Coordinates of all heavy atoms in Angstrom, one line a residue:
Q1 N 8.1 -7.4 37.8 CA 9.5 -7.0 38.1 C 9.9 -5.8 37.3 O 9.4 -5.6 36.2 CB 10.4 -8.2 37.7 CG 10.5 -9.3 38.7 CD 11.6 -10.2 38.3 OE1 12.1 -10.2 37.2 NE2 12.0 -11.1 39.3
L2 N 10.8 -5.1 37.8 CA 11.3 -3.9 37.1 C 11.9 -4.2 35.7 O 11.7 -3.5 34.8 CB 12.4 -3.2 38.0 CG 12.9 -1.9 37.5 CD1 11.8 -0.9 37.3 CD2 14.0 -1.4 38.4
E3 N 12.6 -5.4 35.6 CA 13.2 -5.7 34.4 C 12.1 -5.8 33.3 O 12.3 -5.3 32.2 CB 13.9 -7.1 34.5 CG 14.5 -7.6 33.2 CD 15.1 -9.0 33.4 OE1 15.4 -9.4 34.5 OE2 15.3 -9.6 32.3
S4 N 11.0 -6.5 33.6 CA 10.0 -6.6 32.5 C 9.4 -5.3 32.1 O 8.9 -5.1 31.0 CB 8.9 -7.6 33.0 OG 8.3 -7.1 34.2
L5 N 9.4 -4.3 33.0 CA 8.8 -3.0 32.7 C 9.8 -2.2 31.9 O 9.4 -1.4 31.0 CB 8.5 -2.2 34.0 CG 7.5 -2.8 34.9 CD1 7.4 -2.0 36.2 CD2 6.1 -2.8 34.2
L6 N 11.1 -2.4 32.0 CA 12.1 -1.6 31.3 C 12.6 -2.2 30.0 O 13.2 -1.5 29.2 CB 13.3 -1.4 32.2 CG 13.1 -0.5 33.4 CD1 14.3 -0.5 34.3 CD2 12.7 0.9 33.0
I7 N 12.5 -3.5 29.8 CA 13.1 -4.2 28.7 C 12.7 -3.6 27.3 O 13.5 -3.5 26.4 CB 12.8 -5.7 28.7 CG1 13.8 -6.4 27.8 CG2 11.4 -6.0 28.3 CD1 15.2 -6.5 28.3
G8 N 11.5 -3.1 27.2 CA 11.0 -2.4 26.0 C 11.7 -1.1 25.7 O 11.7 -0.6 24.6
D9 N 12.3 -0.5 26.8 CA 12.9 0.8 26.6 C 14.4 0.7 26.3 O 15.1 1.7 26.1 CB 12.8 1.6 27.9 CG 11.3 2.0 28.1 OD1 10.6 2.2 27.1 OD2 10.9 2.1 29.3
V10 N 15.0 -0.5 26.4 CA 16.4 -0.7 26.1 C 16.6 -1.3 24.8 O 16.2 -2.5 24.6 CB 17.0 -1.6 27.2 CG1 18.5 -1.8 27.0 CG2 16.8 -1.0 28.6
P11 N 17.1 -0.6 23.8 CA 17.3 -1.2 22.5 C 18.3 -2.3 22.4 O 19.2 -2.4 23.2 CB 17.8 0.0 21.6 CG 18.4 0.9 22.6 CD 17.7 0.7 23.9
E12 N 18.1 -3.2 21.5 CA 19.1 -4.3 21.3 C 20.4 -3.9 20.8 O 21.4 -4.5 21.0 CB 18.5 -5.4 20.5 CG 17.4 -6.2 21.1 CD 16.9 -7.4 20.3 OE1 17.6 -7.8 19.4 OE2 15.7 -7.8 20.5
S13 N 20.4 -2.8 20.1 CA 21.6 -2.2 19.6 C 21.4 -0.7 19.3 O 20.3 -0.2 19.2 CB 22.1 -2.9 18.3 OG 21.5 -2.5 17.2
I14 N 22.5 0.0 19.2 CA 22.5 1.4 18.9 C 23.3 1.7 17.6 O 24.4 1.3 17.5 CB 23.1 2.2 20.1 CG1 22.4 2.0 21.4 CG2 23.2 3.7 19.8 CD1 23.0 2.5 22.6
S15 N 22.6 2.2 16.6 CA 23.2 2.2 15.2 C 24.6 2.9 15.2 O 25.4 2.4 14.5 CB 22.2 2.9 14.3 OG 22.0 4.3 14.7
F16 N 24.8 4.0 15.9 CA 26.1 4.7 15.8 C 27.2 3.8 16.4 O 28.3 3.8 16.0 CB 26.1 6.1 16.3 CG 26.1 6.3 17.8 CD1 27.3 6.3 18.5 CD2 24.9 6.4 18.4 CE1 27.2 6.5 19.9 CE2 24.9 6.6 19.8 CZ 26.0 6.6 20.5
V17 N 26.8 3.0 17.4 CA 27.8 2.1 18.1 C 28.1 1.0 17.2 O 29.3 0.6 17.0 CB 27.3 1.7 19.5 CG1 28.2 0.7 20.1 CG2 27.0 2.8 20.4
D18 N 27.1 0.4 16.6 CA 27.3 -0.7 15.6 C 28.2 -0.3 14.5 O 29.1 -1.0 14.1 CB 25.9 -1.1 15.0 CG 25.0 -1.8 16.0 OD1 25.4 -2.1 17.1 OD2 23.8 -2.0 15.6
E19 N 28.0 1.0 14.0 CA 28.8 1.5 12.9 C 30.3 1.7 13.4 O 31.2 1.4 12.7 CB 28.2 2.8 12.4 CG 29.0 3.3 11.2 CD 28.4 4.6 10.7 OE1 27.2 4.9 10.9 OE2 29.1 5.3 9.9
A20 N 30.4 2.3 14.6 CA 31.8 2.6 15.1 C 32.6 1.3 15.3 O 33.8 1.2 15.1 CB 31.7 3.4 16.4
L21 N 31.9 0.3 15.9 CA 32.6 -1.0 16.2 C 32.6 -2.0 15.1 O 33.4 -3.0 15.1 CB 32.0 -1.6 17.4 CG 32.0 -0.8 18.7 CD1 31.2 -1.5 19.8 CD2 33.4 -0.5 19.1
G22 N 31.7 -1.8 14.1 CA 31.7 -2.7 12.9 C 31.0 -4.0 13.3 O 31.1 -4.9 12.5
L23 N 30.2 -4.0 14.3 CA 29.5 -5.2 14.7 C 28.4 -4.9 15.7 O 28.4 -3.8 16.3 CB 30.4 -6.3 15.3 CG 31.3 -5.8 16.4 CD1 30.7 -6.2 17.8 CD2 32.7 -6.5 16.2
S24 N 27.4 -5.8 15.9 CA 26.4 -5.6 16.9 C 26.9 -6.0 18.3 O 27.9 -6.8 18.4 CB 25.2 -6.4 16.5 OG 24.6 -6.0 15.3
P25 N 26.3 -5.5 19.3 CA 26.8 -5.8 20.7 C 26.6 -7.3 21.0 O 25.7 -7.9 20.6 CB 26.0 -4.9 21.6 CG 24.7 -4.6 20.8 CD 25.1 -4.6 19.4
E26 N 27.6 -7.8 21.8 CA 27.5 -9.2 22.3 C 26.5 -9.2 23.5 O 26.0 -10.3 23.8 CB 28.8 -9.7 22.7 CG 29.7 -9.9 21.5 CD 31.1 -10.5 21.9 OE1 31.1 -11.5 22.7 OE2 32.1 -10.0 21.5
A27 N 26.4 -8.1 24.2 CA 25.6 -8.0 25.4 C 25.1 -6.6 25.6 O 25.7 -5.7 25.2 CB 26.4 -8.4 26.6
V28 N 23.9 -6.5 26.1 CA 23.3 -5.2 26.5 C 22.9 -5.3 28.0 O 22.2 -6.2 28.3 CB 22.1 -4.9 25.6 CG1 21.5 -3.6 26.1 CG2 22.5 -4.8 24.2
N29 N 23.5 -4.4 28.8 CA 23.3 -4.4 30.2 C 22.8 -3.0 30.6 O 23.2 -2.0 30.0 CB 24.5 -4.7 31.0 CG 25.0 -6.1 30.7 OD1 24.3 -7.1 30.9 ND2 26.2 -6.3 30.3
L30 N 21.9 -3.0 31.6 CA 21.4 -1.8 32.1 C 21.7 -1.8 33.6 O 21.3 -2.7 34.4 CB 19.9 -1.6 31.9 CG 19.3 -0.4 32.6 CD1 19.8 0.9 31.9 CD2 17.8 -0.5 32.4
W31 N 22.6 -0.9 34.1 CA 23.0 -0.8 35.5 C 22.4 0.5 36.0 O 22.5 1.5 35.4 CB 24.5 -0.7 35.6 CG 25.2 -1.9 35.0 CD1 25.8 -2.0 33.8 CD2 25.3 -3.2 35.6 NE1 26.3 -3.2 33.6 CE2 26.0 -4.0 34.7 CE3 24.9 -3.8 36.8 CZ2 26.3 -5.3 34.9 CZ3 25.2 -5.1 37.0 CH2 25.9 -5.9 36.1
M32 N 21.8 0.4 37.2 CA 21.2 1.5 37.8 C 21.7 1.7 39.3 O 22.0 0.7 39.9 CB 19.6 1.4 37.9 CG 19.0 1.3 36.5 SD 17.2 1.3 36.4 CE 16.7 0.6 37.8
G33 N 21.8 2.9 39.8 CA 22.2 3.1 41.1 C 21.9 4.5 41.5 O 21.6 5.4 40.7
D34 N 22.1 4.8 42.8 CA 21.9 6.1 43.3 C 23.3 6.7 43.8 O 24.3 6.1 43.4 CB 20.9 6.2 44.4 CG 21.2 5.3 45.6 OD1 22.4 4.9 45.7 OD2 20.4 5.0 46.5
D35 N 23.3 7.7 44.6 CA 24.5 8.4 44.9 C 25.4 7.5 45.9 O 26.5 7.8 46.1 CB 24.3 9.8 45.6 CG 23.4 9.7 46.8 OD1 22.8 8.7 47.1 OD2 23.4 10.7 47.5
R36 N 24.9 6.4 46.4 CA 25.6 5.5 47.2 C 26.3 4.4 46.4 O 27.1 3.7 47.0 CB 24.7 4.8 48.3 CG 24.0 5.8 49.2 CD 23.0 5.2 50.0 NE 21.9 4.8 49.0 CZ 20.8 4.1 49.4 NH1 20.6 3.7 50.6 NH2 19.9 3.9 48.5
A37 N 26.0 4.3 45.1 CA 26.6 3.2 44.3 C 28.1 3.4 44.1 O 28.5 4.5 43.6 CB 25.9 3.1 43.0
V38 N 28.9 2.4 44.4 CA 30.3 2.5 44.1 C 30.7 1.2 43.4 O 30.3 0.1 43.7 CB 31.1 2.5 45.5 CG1 32.6 2.5 45.2 CG2 30.8 3.8 46.3
T39 N 31.5 1.4 42.3 CA 32.0 0.3 41.5 C 33.4 0.0 41.8 O 34.2 0.9 41.8 CB 31.8 0.6 40.0 OG1 30.4 0.9 39.8 CG2 32.1 -0.6 39.2
T40 N 33.8 -1.2 42.2 CA 35.2 -1.5 42.5 C 36.0 -1.6 41.2 O 35.4 -1.7 40.1 CB 35.3 -2.9 43.2 OG1 34.7 -3.9 42.3 CG2 34.5 -2.9 44.5
C41 N 37.3 -1.6 41.3 CA 38.2 -1.7 40.2 C 37.9 -3.0 39.5 O 37.9 -4.1 40.2 CB 39.6 -1.6 40.7 SG 40.8 -1.6 39.3
H42 N 37.7 -3.0 38.2 CA 37.4 -4.2 37.5 C 37.8 -4.1 36.0 O 38.1 -3.0 35.5 CB 36.0 -4.6 37.6 CG 35.0 -3.7 36.9 ND1 34.6 -2.5 37.5 CD2 34.4 -3.7 35.7 CE1 33.8 -1.8 36.7 NE2 33.7 -2.6 35.6
K43 N 37.8 -5.2 35.3 CA 38.1 -5.2 33.8 C 36.8 -5.6 33.1 O 36.2 -6.6 33.5 CB 39.2 -6.2 33.5 CG 39.5 -6.4 32.0 CD 40.6 -7.3 31.8 CE 40.0 -8.7 31.8 NZ 41.0 -9.8 31.4
D44 N 36.4 -4.8 32.2 CA 35.2 -5.2 31.4 C 35.6 -6.0 30.2 O 36.6 -5.6 29.5 CB 34.4 -3.9 30.9 CG 33.7 -3.3 32.1 OD1 33.2 -4.0 33.0 OD2 33.5 -2.1 32.1
C45 N 34.9 -7.0 29.9 CA 35.2 -7.8 28.7 C 34.4 -7.3 27.4 O 34.6 -7.9 26.4 CB 34.8 -9.3 29.0 SG 35.7 -9.9 30.3
F46 N 33.6 -6.3 27.6 CA 32.8 -5.8 26.5 C 33.0 -4.3 26.4 O 33.4 -3.6 27.3 CB 31.3 -6.1 26.7 CG 31.0 -7.6 26.8 CD1 30.8 -8.2 28.0 CD2 30.9 -8.3 25.6 CE1 30.5 -9.5 28.1 CE2 30.6 -9.7 25.7 CZ 30.4 -10.3 26.9
E47 N 32.7 -3.8 25.2 CA 32.7 -2.3 25.0 C 31.6 -1.7 25.8 O 30.6 -2.4 26.1 CB 32.5 -2.0 23.5 CG 33.6 -2.4 22.6 CD 33.6 -3.9 22.3 OE1 32.5 -4.6 22.5 OE2 34.6 -4.4 21.7
N48 N 31.7 -0.5 26.2 CA 30.8 0.2 27.1 C 30.3 1.5 26.5 O 31.1 2.2 25.9 CB 31.3 0.4 28.5 CG 31.6 -0.9 29.2 OD1 30.6 -1.5 29.7 ND2 32.8 -1.3 29.3
L49 N 29.1 1.8 26.8 CA 28.5 3.1 26.5 C 27.8 3.5 27.8 O 26.9 2.8 28.3 CB 27.5 3.1 25.3 CG 26.8 4.4 25.0 CD1 27.8 5.5 24.6 CD2 25.7 4.2 24.0
Y50 N 28.2 4.6 28.4 CA 27.7 4.9 29.8 C 27.0 6.2 29.7 O 27.4 7.2 29.1 CB 28.9 5.0 30.7 CG 28.5 4.8 32.2 CD1 28.6 3.6 32.8 CD2 28.0 5.9 32.9 CE1 28.3 3.4 34.1 CE2 27.6 5.7 34.2 CZ 27.8 4.4 34.8 OH 27.4 4.2 36.1
G51 N 25.8 6.2 30.3 CA 25.0 7.4 30.4 C 24.6 7.7 31.8 O 24.3 6.8 32.6
V52 N 24.7 9.0 32.2 CA 24.3 9.4 33.5 C 23.0 10.3 33.4 O 23.0 11.3 32.7 CB 25.4 10.2 34.2 CG1 25.0 10.7 35.6 CG2 26.6 9.3 34.4
L53 N 21.9 9.9 34.1 CA 20.7 10.6 33.9 C 20.7 11.8 34.9 O 20.1 12.8 34.6 CB 19.5 9.7 34.3 CG 19.3 8.5 33.4 CD1 18.1 7.7 33.7 CD2 19.3 8.9 31.9
R54 N 21.3 11.7 36.0 CA 21.4 12.8 37.0 C 22.6 12.6 37.9 O 22.9 11.5 38.3 CB 20.1 12.8 37.8 CG 20.0 13.9 38.8 CD 18.7 14.1 39.5 NE 18.3 12.8 40.2 CZ 17.1 12.6 40.7 NH1 16.2 13.4 40.5 NH2 16.9 11.4 41.2
G55 N 23.3 13.6 38.2 CA 24.4 13.5 39.1 C 25.7 13.3 38.3 O 25.8 13.7 37.1
V56 N 26.7 12.7 38.9 CA 28.0 12.4 38.2 C 28.5 11.0 38.5 O 28.1 10.4 39.5 CB 29.1 13.4 38.7 CG1 28.7 14.9 38.4 CG2 29.3 13.3 40.2
K57 N 29.3 10.5 37.6 CA 30.0 9.2 37.8 C 31.4 9.5 37.4 O 31.7 10.0 36.4 CB 29.4 8.2 36.9 CG 30.1 6.8 36.9 CD 29.8 6.1 38.2 CE 30.4 4.7 38.1 NZ 30.2 3.9 39.4
H58 N 32.3 9.1 38.3 CA 33.8 9.3 38.1 C 34.4 8.0 37.7 O 34.1 6.9 38.3 CB 34.5 9.8 39.3 CG 34.0 11.2 39.7 ND1 34.5 12.3 39.2 CD2 33.0 11.6 40.6 CE1 33.9 13.4 39.7 NE2 33.0 12.9 40.6
F59 N 35.2 8.0 36.6 CA 35.9 6.8 36.2 C 37.4 7.0 36.3 O 37.9 8.1 36.0 CB 35.6 6.6 34.7 CG 34.2 6.1 34.4 CD1 33.3 7.1 34.1 CD2 33.9 4.8 34.4 CE1 32.0 6.7 33.9 CE2 32.6 4.4 34.1 CZ 31.6 5.3 33.9
T60 N 38.1 6.0 36.7 CA 39.6 6.0 36.6 C 40.0 4.9 35.6 O 39.7 3.7 35.9 CB 40.2 5.7 38.0 OG1 39.8 6.7 38.9 CG2 41.7 5.7 37.9
L61 N 40.5 5.3 34.5 CA 40.9 4.3 33.5 C 42.4 4.1 33.6 O 43.2 5.0 33.7 CB 40.5 4.9 32.1 CG 39.1 5.2 31.8 CD1 38.9 5.8 30.4 CD2 38.2 4.0 32.0
L62 N 42.7 2.8 33.6 CA 44.1 2.4 33.7 C 44.6 1.7 32.4 O 43.8 0.9 31.9 CB 44.3 1.5 34.9 CG 43.9 2.1 36.3 CD1 43.9 1.0 37.3 CD2 44.8 3.2 36.6
P63 N 45.8 1.9 32.0 CA 46.3 1.2 30.8 C 46.5 -0.3 31.1 O 46.8 -0.7 32.3 CB 47.6 1.9 30.5 CG 48.1 2.4 31.8 CD 46.8 2.8 32.6
P64 N 46.5 -1.1 30.1 CA 46.8 -2.6 30.3 C 48.1 -2.8 31.0 O 48.3 -3.8 31.7 CB 46.8 -3.1 28.9 CG 45.9 -2.2 28.1 CD 46.2 -0.8 28.7
T65 N 49.1 -1.9 30.8 CA 50.4 -2.1 31.4 C 50.4 -2.0 33.0 O 51.3 -2.4 33.6 CB 51.4 -1.1 30.9 OG1 50.9 0.2 31.1 CG2 51.7 -1.3 29.4
S66 N 49.3 -1.5 33.5 CA 49.1 -1.5 35.0 C 48.7 -2.8 35.6 O 48.7 -2.9 36.8 CB 48.1 -0.4 35.3 OG 48.5 0.9 35.0
S67 N 48.3 -3.7 34.8 CA 47.7 -5.0 35.3 C 48.6 -5.7 36.3 O 48.1 -6.2 37.3 CB 47.4 -5.9 34.1 OG 46.8 -7.1 34.5
P68 N 49.9 -5.8 36.1 CA 50.7 -6.5 37.1 C 50.7 -5.9 38.5 O 51.1 -6.5 39.4 CB 52.1 -6.5 36.5 CG 51.9 -6.2 35.0 CD 50.7 -5.4 34.9
F69 N 50.3 -4.6 38.6 CA 50.4 -3.9 39.8 C 49.0 -3.8 40.5 O 48.9 -3.2 41.6 CB 50.9 -2.5 39.6 CG 52.2 -2.5 38.9 CD1 52.2 -2.1 37.5 CD2 53.4 -2.9 39.5 CE1 53.4 -2.2 36.8 CE2 54.6 -2.9 38.8 CZ 54.6 -2.6 37.4
L70 N 48.0 -4.5 40.0 CA 46.6 -4.4 40.5 C 46.2 -5.6 41.4 O 45.1 -5.6 41.9 CB 45.6 -4.1 39.4 CG 45.8 -2.9 38.6 CD1 44.8 -2.8 37.5 CD2 45.7 -1.7 39.5
Y71 N 47.1 -6.6 41.5 CA 46.8 -7.8 42.3 C 45.4 -8.4 42.0 O 44.6 -8.4 42.9 CB 46.9 -7.4 43.8 CG 48.2 -6.7 44.1 CD1 48.3 -5.4 44.3 CD2 49.4 -7.4 44.1 CE1 49.4 -4.7 44.6 CE2 50.6 -6.8 44.4 CZ 50.6 -5.4 44.6 OH 51.8 -4.8 44.9
P72 N 45.2 -8.8 40.8 CA 43.9 -9.4 40.4 C 43.6 -10.7 41.2 O 44.5 -11.4 41.5 CB 44.0 -9.6 38.9 CG 45.4 -9.7 38.6 CD 46.1 -8.8 39.6
R73 N 42.4 -10.9 41.5 CA 41.9 -12.1 42.1 C 40.5 -12.4 41.7 O 39.8 -11.5 41.4 CB 42.1 -12.1 43.6 CG 41.3 -11.0 44.3 CD 41.7 -11.0 45.8 NE 40.5 -10.6 46.5 CZ 40.4 -10.3 47.8 NH1 41.5 -10.3 48.5 NH2 39.3 -10.0 48.3
P74 N 40.1 -13.7 41.8 CA 38.7 -14.0 41.3 C 37.6 -13.5 42.3 O 37.8 -13.6 43.5 CB 38.7 -15.5 41.2 CG 39.8 -16.0 42.1 CD 40.8 -14.9 42.1
Y75 N 36.6 -13.0 41.8 CA 35.4 -12.7 42.6 C 34.2 -13.4 41.9 O 34.1 -13.4 40.7 CB 35.1 -11.2 42.6 CG 36.1 -10.4 43.4 CD1 37.2 -9.9 42.8 CD2 35.9 -10.3 44.8 CE1 38.2 -9.2 43.6 CE2 36.8 -9.6 45.5 CZ 37.9 -9.0 44.9 OH 38.9 -8.3 45.7
Y76 N 33.4 -14.0 42.8 CA 32.3 -14.8 42.3 C 31.0 -13.9 42.2 O 30.8 -13.1 43.1 CB 32.0 -16.0 43.1 CG 33.2 -17.0 43.1 CD1 34.1 -17.1 44.1 CD2 33.3 -17.9 42.0 CE1 35.2 -18.0 44.1 CE2 34.4 -18.8 42.0 CZ 35.3 -18.8 43.0 OH 36.3 -19.7 42.9
P77 N 30.2 -14.2 41.2 CA 29.0 -13.4 41.1 C 28.1 -13.8 42.3 O 28.2 -14.9 42.9 CB 28.4 -13.8 39.8 CG 29.0 -15.1 39.4 CD 30.4 -15.1 40.1
R78 N 27.2 -12.9 42.6 CA 26.2 -13.2 43.7 C 24.8 -13.2 43.1 O 24.5 -12.6 42.1 CB 26.2 -12.0 44.7 CG 27.0 -12.2 45.9 CD 28.5 -12.1 45.7 NE 29.2 -12.1 46.9 CZ 30.5 -12.3 47.0 NH1 31.2 -12.4 45.9 NH2 31.1 -12.2 48.1
V79 N 23.9 -14.0 43.7 CA 22.5 -14.1 43.3 C 21.7 -13.6 44.5 O 21.9 -14.1 45.6 CB 22.2 -15.5 42.9 CG1 20.7 -15.6 42.6 CG2 23.0 -16.0 41.7
Y80 N 20.9 -12.6 44.2 CA 20.0 -12.1 45.2 C 18.6 -12.8 45.1 O 18.1 -12.9 43.9 CB 19.8 -10.6 45.1 CG 21.1 -9.9 45.5 CD1 22.0 -9.6 44.4 CD2 21.4 -9.5 46.7 CE1 23.2 -8.9 44.7 CE2 22.5 -8.8 47.0 CZ 23.4 -8.5 46.0 OH 24.6 -7.8 46.3
S81 N 18.0 -13.2 46.2 CA 16.6 -13.7 46.1 C 15.9 -13.3 47.3 O 16.4 -13.0 48.4 CB 16.6 -15.2 45.9 OG 17.3 -15.8 47.1
S82 N 14.6 -13.2 47.2 CA 13.7 -12.8 48.3 C 12.9 -14.1 48.7 O 12.2 -14.7 47.9 CB 12.7 -11.7 47.9 OG 11.9 -11.4 48.9
R83 N 13.0 -14.4 50.0 CA 12.3 -15.5 50.6 C 11.6 -15.1 51.8 O 12.2 -14.5 52.7 CB 13.2 -16.7 50.9 CG 13.9 -17.3 49.7 CD 14.7 -18.6 50.1 NE 15.3 -19.1 48.9 CZ 16.6 -19.0 48.7 NH1 17.4 -18.4 49.6 NH2 17.2 -19.5 47.6
S84 N 10.3 -15.2 51.8 CA 9.5 -14.8 52.9 C 9.7 -13.3 53.3 O 9.8 -13.0 54.5 CB 9.7 -15.7 54.1 OG 9.5 -17.0 53.8
G85 N 9.9 -12.5 52.3 CA 10.1 -11.1 52.5 C 11.5 -10.7 53.0 O 11.8 -9.5 53.2
Q86 N 12.5 -11.6 53.1 CA 13.8 -11.3 53.4 C 14.7 -11.6 52.2 O 14.7 -12.6 51.5 CB 14.3 -12.3 54.6 CG 13.6 -12.1 55.9 CD 14.0 -10.8 56.6 OE1 15.0 -10.2 56.2 NE2 13.3 -10.4 57.6
W87 N 15.6 -10.6 51.9 CA 16.6 -10.7 50.8 C 17.8 -11.4 51.3 O 18.3 -11.2 52.4 CB 16.9 -9.3 50.3 CG 15.9 -8.8 49.5 CD1 14.9 -7.9 49.9 CD2 15.6 -9.0 48.1 NE1 14.1 -7.6 48.8 CE2 14.5 -8.3 47.7 CE3 16.2 -9.8 47.1 CZ2 14.0 -8.3 46.4 CZ3 15.7 -9.8 45.9 CH2 14.6 -9.1 45.5
T88 N 18.3 -12.4 50.5 CA 19.5 -13.1 50.8 C 20.4 -13.0 49.6 O 20.0 -12.8 48.5 CB 19.2 -14.6 51.1 OG1 18.6 -15.2 50.0 CG2 18.3 -14.8 52.4
M89 N 21.7 -13.2 49.9 CA 22.7 -13.2 48.8 C 23.6 -14.4 48.9 O 24.1 -14.8 50.0 CB 23.6 -11.9 49.0 CG 24.7 -11.8 48.0 SD 25.7 -10.3 48.2 CE 26.5 -10.5 49.7
E90 N 23.7 -15.1 47.8 CA 24.5 -16.3 47.7 C 25.6 -16.2 46.6 O 25.3 -15.7 45.6 CB 23.7 -17.5 47.4 CG 22.6 -17.8 48.4 CD 21.6 -18.8 48.0 OE1 21.9 -19.5 46.9 OE2 20.6 -19.0 48.7
K91 N 26.8 -16.6 46.9 CA 27.8 -16.6 45.9 C 27.6 -17.8 45.0 O 27.2 -18.9 45.4 CB 29.2 -16.8 46.5 CG 29.7 -15.5 47.2 CD 31.2 -15.4 47.4 CE 31.8 -16.6 48.1 NZ 33.2 -16.4 48.4
V92 N 27.9 -17.6 43.7 CA 27.8 -18.6 42.7 C 29.0 -18.6 41.8 O 29.5 -17.6 41.3 CB 26.5 -18.3 41.7 CG1 26.5 -19.4 40.7 CG2 25.3 -18.3 42.6
S93 N 29.7 -19.8 41.8 CA 30.9 -19.9 41.0 C 30.5 -20.1 39.5 O 29.4 -20.5 39.2 CB 31.7 -21.1 41.5 OG 31.1 -22.3 41.2
P94 N 31.5 -20.0 38.6 CA 31.2 -20.2 37.2 C 30.6 -21.5 36.8 O 29.8 -21.7 35.9 CB 32.5 -20.0 36.5 CG 33.3 -19.1 37.4 CD 32.8 -19.5 38.8
D95 N 30.9 -22.6 37.6 CA 30.4 -23.9 37.3 C 29.0 -24.1 38.0 O 28.5 -25.2 38.0 CB 31.3 -25.0 37.7 CG 31.7 -25.0 39.2 OD1 31.1 -24.2 40.0 OD2 32.6 -25.8 39.6
G96 N 28.5 -23.1 38.7 CA 27.2 -23.2 39.3 C 27.1 -23.7 40.7 O 26.1 -23.8 41.3
V97 N 28.3 -24.0 41.3 CA 28.4 -24.5 42.6 C 28.8 -23.4 43.6 O 29.7 -22.6 43.3 CB 29.5 -25.7 42.7 CG1 29.6 -26.2 44.1 CG2 29.1 -26.8 41.8
S98 N 28.1 -23.3 44.7 CA 28.4 -22.2 45.6 C 29.8 -22.5 46.3 O 30.0 -23.5 46.9 CB 27.4 -22.1 46.7 OG 26.2 -21.6 46.2
P99 N 30.8 -21.6 46.1 CA 32.1 -21.8 46.7 C 32.0 -21.5 48.2 O 31.1 -20.8 48.7 CB 33.0 -20.8 45.9 CG 32.0 -19.8 45.5 CD 30.7 -20.4 45.3
E100 N 33.0 -21.9 48.9 CA 33.2 -21.6 50.3 C 33.6 -20.1 50.5 O 34.3 -19.5 49.6 CB 34.2 -22.5 51.0 CG 33.9 -23.9 50.9 CD 32.7 -24.3 51.8 OE1 32.5 -23.7 52.8 OE2 31.9 -25.1 51.3
E101 N 33.1 -19.5 51.6 CA 33.5 -18.1 51.8 C 35.0 -18.1 52.1 O 35.8 -17.5 52.2 CB 32.8 -17.6 53.0 CG 31.3 -17.3 52.7 CD 31.1 -16.1 51.9 OE1 31.9 -15.2 51.9 OE2 30.1 -16.1 51.2

């Protein structure tokens, strides 16, 4: 899997970030995409350090005071799996039970 090939290249922490925040990261994530990748409006629960290897990524940052005007609603994570060469996507709720569409 790609994850096992890349895990050694992603450090568990970055010294200047640890120093700036005064603590080690709670999570380290690696997100990859091409020019078709679009990220919907969302709230991150962790600090972020973003790097672009090629191309551009545009961010629209909104102040916390905008929250009442953004109509938040829950979205469930998806799990992708390959069965017999076909990729499927299933919603998974926080309690592990697949919710209804």
Side-chain angles (χ1 to χ4, degrees):
Q1 279 190 349
L2 183 58
E3 177 184 341
S4 62
L5 296 172
L6 293 174
I7 198 69
D9 294 328
V10 180
E12 290 186 21
S13 82
I14 300 170
S15 60
F16 76 87
V17 176
D18 294 350
E19 184 178 340
L21 299 175
L23 51 99
S24 295
E26 293 183 46
V28 175
N29 296 303
L30 176 64
W31 302 99
M32 298 185 330
D34 60 16
D35 60 344
R36 298 169 293 174
V38 176
T39 306
T40 59
C41 185
H42 67 279
K43 175 180 82 172
D44 286 330
C45 298
F46 299 101
E47 294 78 12
N48 290 284
L49 176 63
Y50 203 95
V52 177
L53 300 181
R54 182 173 55 192
V56 297
K57 175 75 175 176
H58 296 275
F59 291 90
T60 301
L61 301 177
L62 302 171
T65 54
S66 296
S67 183
F69 308 105
L70 297 177
Y71 310 104
R73 60 185 214 190
Y75 288 92
Y76 295 101
R78 265 72 170 169
V79 175
Y80 294 91
S81 60
S82 177
R83 294 188 183 104
S84 302
Q86 295 287 348
W87 284 95
T88 60
M89 179 177 65
E90 300 171 8
K91 287 199 309 187
V92 179
S93 69
D95 60 6
V97 178
S98 291
E100 298 295 322
E101 289 287 334

